[in-house]
Amino acid sequence: MKSTWKLFLTATLVSVFLASCNKDDTFEKAPLGDYENGFFVLNEGNSNPSTASVTFIRNDGAVEQDVFGNVNPDELGMGSYLQSMFFVEDKAFIISGSANKITVVNRFTFKYLTSITTDLENPRYGALVNGKVYITNAADFSSSTDDFLTVVNLENYSTSTIALANWSEKVLEYNGKLYIANGCFGNGNTVTVFNTVTGTAEEVIALGGTNSPNSMEVKDGVLYVLTSDSSSAGAIFRINLSNNQIASSVSVPSEIDNPKQLDIENNQLFFTSGTSVYSAGLSTVSISTTPIMTYNSTSAWGQMYGFEIHEGKIYIADGGDFASDSAVYQYSMTGALLDTYAVGVGPNGFYFQY
Amino acid sequence: MIRKNLFTVLMPLLCCIVYAQQKPVHKLDELIIADAQLKKFSETQSLQVLNDSVLRKSQPLLTQLLAYNTSIYFKEYGLGMISSPSFRGTTSSQTAVVWNGININSQLSGQTDFNTLNASDFSSIQVRAGGGSVIYGSSAIGGSIHLNNDFFFKDTFQNRLRLEYGSFSTSLANYSLKAASEKIYCGFTITRFDSENDYEIPDSERKNLNGAFYNTSSNLTFGYKINAVNTLKFYSYLFEGERHLSLIYPTETPTKYNNLNLRNLLEWNVVSGKFNSKVKLALLNEKYKYYPNIKNEQFTYGQVETAMIKYDLLYDLATDMKLNVVADFTQNKGKGSDIESKSRQISSFNAMFSHKVKRFLYEIAVRQEITTNYSSPFLYSGGMKYRFSDFYTSRLNASKNFRIPSFDDLYWMNGGNPNLQPETSKQLEWGNDFTLKKMSFELVGFYNDISNMIRWLPAGQLWTPVNIDKVKSYGIEAKLNGKLKIGEHLFSCFGTYAYTVSENKEIQKQLIYVPYHKATLSLGYHFRKLSAFGQHMFVDEVFTRSDNNPRYNLEAYWVSNFGLDYDFGKKNSYKIGLKMQNVQNVKYESVEGRFMPGRNFTVYAILNLNES
């Protein structure tokens, strides 16, 4: 997705330049919006509605808090407990778990477009597949039988549902299929390949035992799934997406407790445990117990609440005490602190424009 | 038959036997009180009485009554919704509610929801500020609220009907009956209160959604003076209510909450000479049901049955010298969808001593609990009072109080911590009372050090409570009471003011939802058959962030109510009146996002149908 965007933009710029290039012409690209050059941090918040917000950090380091409130002062808030956000073309979809609502805004201006409020019950994550948006819903958190998908028609934002009957959390799109990680707070141990054309689960890939998937990424036709079980032991599975078979797996050493937040960058695997970041080669057979970096946190239960590797830098969101504004940190790949940014309450994710 | 008679007579007669030769004194017009210690052993602390006329003026739910008449700050999640107190900057489970001498805080949560009690069911309500664990047990740290059904053994027949109808389809019906003679007393009240509660939120186009509620409560008080020495008393209170919990966002999943509470107290009182002994048996039952989705039948629940037996002996050592010893045994049996089924037993012993010598009074009290569930600290309270003149009295009190871990804290499935210890508080209070003929003024300074406060923290995958927090709170409270009579015109005023600092000792920041300033003012006017009142409440800004970031403070607000009624009756009193709440149509919230209603009206009628 990201590389297509870059290609599109470069092509536009080149064509504009070529078309209007003149010795006396000053070339100006029309800005897409105030929030084009930088990244968003989603602040989950707590039961106080003002704590759920979005922070924007510009490439030059300028920080703006409560972007949605600033741009749309007359609109009803996005809801409490912001679970996740995702981009669809030029729009951003922000999911509020407790308000059963998805707020749709222009991702560059953050101007409010519409809200999706039908057919949602504790929505979790979403993705664009074959022109429609699919959202996983937990419904009752203690049960897997009531989980379902909300299908959103992007023309009129009408919705419909598809029952899933399995723990359904993180999702991603690959080659026209929807992949659903069937793992929720340690429950579940499969990955579902969902065919959106037929509207059914095409295949359920069993990971075995108590390997509950918590994060996954696709690289070169292989789906990497990071799991952890109730005893906190983890493993990384490699699934060949041409035949949906598990090609291989590597276990995470037991010294690394509760591994999560798998990210792939520069042909390396990265994941977190506690306040540390670990890395391994894509096809490694063993994982080193030495972290590539560790950061200091005083948070009781928000250590490494958000994590992402982007363009050769490590981004860490610290949950803080979930009752006051917290911070996110930018580190180099060797663990040197580059920058600290103040954000809102309970930051849980990074969303880069490019 | 003989054995049964012997047993029932033996206990109270234990004291009578020794003093059989003394003639029992027949006291006329003595107010029969269940909570004797409230008057006798609270001389060195601040005690505020809210009598029947104040109770009738206010909104039925206890939160509103106390918010407008005391220094307590309430976190109310919308009108009629969950309501928790902050008394002198303490937490919700550090205020005890005492019903006719019995502590009735929930054993599950350790606190009382102040919207599960109707003020209309009690004869008087008293607010005792500061520590009281030594007498009333757990949670009496910030203060205690005493709900009383006191009565007289004298010829009475009173029938009263109170009807109210107001905005948001709110209606109240309350009937109370008092029938008594010199030997028997029977009191009965029943209240039914319900509301659609779909109020508009001021300055917005939004309405309070999913806020409907109802409750039915009933109180029965029975007294029988067997003879001049033996009195039997029975108190019973039932509360049943259902509340739909207000939403912040219209698309949130609507939930509802049911409460069913039943309290029973049987007391056998023997007064013989210098001994006054009581045997009390209390049976309390609390149950809640929470529906996480109104459309489904699924619910989670919690229930505790409490049985308590108490023996209370008061001995007049000499004139103005009293000794009171109390021994009690309590058993709580709890069960629920999220807690393990457990039974807890606690025995406790306490002794209170009070002595007054001319202008000087001192009182000492100690309490020790014995239980296998946690290590119970030794509690004490000591105070003295000196009456310098008719105008000025000064008092000083120091005490150690506690809050025991609740059933949810100890036995929550996947997380309860059975090794929890009680929270403890050490406090000091200095009070000054100034009394004039038409006016009285009270000024109190307090300091409270609380440690081992319970906070839920994650431990791996689960959450578990730990004794971790330390809080320091201090401040001043002032009360002004005045009455003026000009011809047939009667004016009265009652004002309170509190300045409270309450800090988390570790980060040295004011706790969230504790205002620095709170003030109330009540004005009354009476002329022949006309009555009018005005109530004002001012609450300062509160912090909503633990780091006290002022950007997110809730705004300060000043809310006023006004009421007017006229007595149309000739022989009996038939009052018809009109109340206006939130006269200035202020948009205010005591919890972020939970706005209270704007200006609204209530029409009421209080009809006294009695013959004497």
Side-chain angles (χ1 to χ4, degrees), chain A residues 9 24 59 113 252 265 319 321 342 350:
Chain A
L9 213 62
D24 296 338
N59 290 336
L113 293 170
V252 175
E265 169 102 354
D321 66 356
F350 296 90

Side-chain angles (χ1 to χ4, degrees), chain A residues 69-301:
Chain A
N70 293 340
V71 176
N72 310 287
D74 298 326
E75 295 292 342
L76 188 60
M78 295 180 283
S80 298
Y81 294 104
L82 301 179
Q83 179 60 32
S84 66
M85 187 162 108
F86 58 98
F87 296 128
V88 173
E89 290 149 10
D90 62 342
K91 299 181 204 50
F93 285 59
I94 303 141
I95 299 178
S96 160
S98 74
N100 298 323
K101 174 162 89 159
I102 301 175
T103 307
V104 185
V105 300
N106 175 303
R107 74 192 259 185
F108 299 113
T109 65
F110 235 77
K111 261 248 171 291
Y112 173 77
L113 293 170
T114 188
S115 296
I116 304 164
T117 57
T118 52
D119 290 321
L120 292 167
E121 197 182 338
N122 282 320
R124 308 291 291 163
Y125 300 92
L128 172 75
V129 186
N130 293 329
K132 289 211 176 104
V133 159
Y134 294 80
I135 315 282
T136 49
N137 292 265
D140 183 340
F141 279 106
S142 58
S143 148
S144 66
T145 52
D146 56 5
D147 289 27
F148 63 94
L149 271 179
T150 312
V151 186
V152 183
N153 179 325
L154 288 176
E155 257 143 72
N156 53 16
Y157 296 100
S158 64
T159 58
S160 59
T161 63
I162 302 173
L164 287 174
N166 198 347
W167 306 100
S168 304
E169 279 279 289
K170 293 198 171 137
V171 287
L172 59 80
E173 182 274 347
Y174 180 76
N175 226 5
K177 300 260 166 69
L178 179 70
Y179 292 84
I180 307 170
N182 303 119
C184 177
F185 300 119
N187 295 306
N189 58 4
T190 59
V191 171
T192 300
V193 182
F194 194 87
N195 187 324
T196 63
V197 174
T198 62
T200 57
E202 192 172 270
E203 185 129 9
V204 176
I205 305 165
L207 302 170
T210 52
N211 297 311
S212 179
N214 59 58
S215 48
M216 54 185 185
E217 283 250 348
V218 174
K219 175 81 179 170
D220 299 332
V222 177
L223 179 68
Y224 295 80
V225 183
L226 175 60
T227 67
S228 63
D229 68 11
S230 49
S231 69
S232 308
I236 298 178
F237 290 82
R238 297 183 192 96
I239 300 170
N240 192 329
L241 292 182
S242 57
N243 57 13
N244 290 333
Q245 297 294 312
I246 298 174
S248 62
S249 69
V250 54
S251 54
V252 175
S254 55
E255 292 95 324
I256 304 176
D257 217 31
N258 270 321
K260 50 185 178 162
Q261 294 174 141
L262 180 73
D263 200 357
I264 297 176
E265 169 102 354
N266 266 342
N267 290 310
Q268 282 278 102
L269 293 166
F270 295 92
F271 62 88
T272 69
S273 167
T275 52
S276 300
V277 180
Y278 296 84
S279 113
L282 280 181
S283 45
T284 193
V285 294
S286 73
I287 294 171
S288 163
T289 54
T290 311
I292 62 165
M293 68 146 288
T294 303
Y295 87 108
N296 290 324
S297 171
T298 54
S299 177
W301 56 286

Side-chain angles (χ1 to χ4, degrees), chain B residues 120-261:
Chain B
S120 47
D121 294 320
F122 307 103
S123 63
S124 75
I125 293 177
Q126 301 199 47
V127 179
R128 187 182 190 272
S133 291
V134 82
I135 303 173
Y136 300 106
S138 176
S139 294
I141 293 178
S144 45
I145 315 294
H146 300 258
L147 311 170
N148 307 313
N149 293 98
D150 304 330
F151 58 89
F152 288 99
F153 276 120
K154 71 174 186 196
D155 287 329
T156 313
F157 187 74
Q158 271 181 33
N159 252 338
R160 192 174 71 203
L161 186 63
R162 174 178 159 188
L163 299 165
E164 291 189 14
Y165 186 77
S167 309
F168 330 122
S169 314
T170 306
S171 58
L172 168 81
N174 166 260
Y175 171 72
S176 82
L177 165 72
K178 285 187 193 148
S181 70
E182 279 181 26
K183 278 188 92 71
I184 293 186
Y185 175 85
C186 185
F188 171 74
T189 73
I190 184 157
T191 305
R192 167 79 189 185
F193 183 47
D194 69 70
S195 176
E196 270 308 302
N197 212 19
D198 52 356
Y199 55 87
E200 271 142 36
I201 292 164
D203 291 341
S204 83
E205 274 150 34
R206 290 170 42 211
K207 271 191 162 201
N208 186 35
L209 297 170
N210 195 55
F213 65 89
Y214 77 77
N215 67 54
T216 307
S217 62
S218 179
N219 171 75
L220 178 68
T221 306
F222 179 74
Y224 177 44
K225 203 164 195 155
I226 302 166
N227 52 40
V229 168
N230 295 284
T231 312
L232 187 67
K233 289 180 271 179
F234 176 70
Y235 303 84
S236 186
Y237 188 57
L238 170 73
F239 180 93
E240 193 265 318
E242 177 171 298
R243 288 176 286 182
H244 290 191
L245 302 178
S246 297
L247 307 176
I248 296 182
Y249 290 97
T251 47
E252 281 171 2
T253 308
T255 62
K256 71 175 183 185
Y257 201 82
N258 273 11
N259 289 94
L260 179 61
N261 299 328

